[in-house]
Amino acid sequence: MTDSPATRPILVPVDFSPHSEAALAFAAELADYRRGALLILHVVHDPFSMPGYYGRALKKKQLHRIEDGAAEMFDEFVAAVRARHPDLATLQTAETLLVKGLPSTRILEVAERQAAPQIVMGSKGLTGLRHLLIGSVAERVVHRAKTPVTIVKSPRTRTP
């Protein structure tokens, strides 16, 4: 019996941003339609690359390990997204995975290991100098992935 793309999970890397939530909701709709599965991934990255990223969770409980803060934030993010989208059945039962490393590298490794038929991820869509200085995880994944990658942006809210 061969493994079909519908039985393998769509990989959804998240960074707790509104763009990640939009990507997760999109992927859940797609998985519901395909009767497939989701794997929600967060890569705990080097704190020196983004100082303070996990600071909220670390300060709240005086945790000493960055992984503990990341795991708490990951759990809270997934629970909040599930609560906001109770109609997305696949989202409610999606598996989660927390790994350490460089985000783009680890995303690609997990996609290959899981034989993910697709990667769906959010992107801020930075341009110009900020993009050159910061780089883009999504861009690196798109260029190196062996599987289709869908980039989702959160809807912009207008300020009066």
Side-chain angles (χ1 to χ4, degrees):
M1 183 172 157
T2 60
D3 190 26
S4 75
T7 62
R8 298 186 313 256
I10 294 171
L11 180 61
V12 188
V14 298
D15 65 1
F16 318 137
S17 70
H19 303 284
S20 286
E21 181 171 346
L24 186 51
F26 176 85
E29 288 175 12
L30 184 61
D32 281 355
Y33 176 77
R34 290 179 41 207
R35 295 190 177 115
L38 285 179
L39 177 59
I40 308 167
L41 171 69
H42 178 68
V43 180
V44 180
H45 54 273
D46 183 340
F48 295 109
S49 66
M50 292 195 65
Y53 190 80
Y54 302 108
R56 176 178 55 88
L58 293 173
K59 287 177 187 170
K60 186 166 73 172
K61 295 216 175 171
Q62 298 298 317
L63 299 174
H64 298 287
R65 290 176 18 130
I66 196 86
E67 295 88 352
D68 294 338
E72 182 177 328
M73 289 176 69
F74 187 32
D75 291 344
E76 289 173 0
F77 174 81
V78 171
V81 174
R82 285 176 171 156
R84 283 190 286 274
H85 301 278
D87 56 318
L88 297 174
T90 307
L91 177 60
Q92 303 306 319
T93 60
E95 289 187 45
T96 61
L97 177 63
L98 185 77
V99 297
K100 283 178 55 176
L102 294 172
S104 60
T105 302
R106 296 296 282 167
I107 290 166
L108 294 166
E109 289 170 356
V110 170
E112 188 170 328
R113 188 172 59 245
Q114 295 289 325
Q118 184 173 6
I119 300 169
V120 177
M121 58 191 303
S123 176
K124 295 178 184 82
L126 297 176
T127 58
L129 186 58
R130 285 192 69 201
H131 173 72
L132 290 173
L133 294 174
I134 298 170
S136 170
V137 172
E139 184 176 354
R140 286 190 293 274
V141 170
V142 166
H143 287 293
R144 295 176 45 211
K146 296 177 183 174
T147 188
V149 179
T150 301
I151 303 298
V152 177
K153 292 184 181 184
S154 67
R156 291 193 180 200
T157 56
R158 292 185 177 211
T159 54

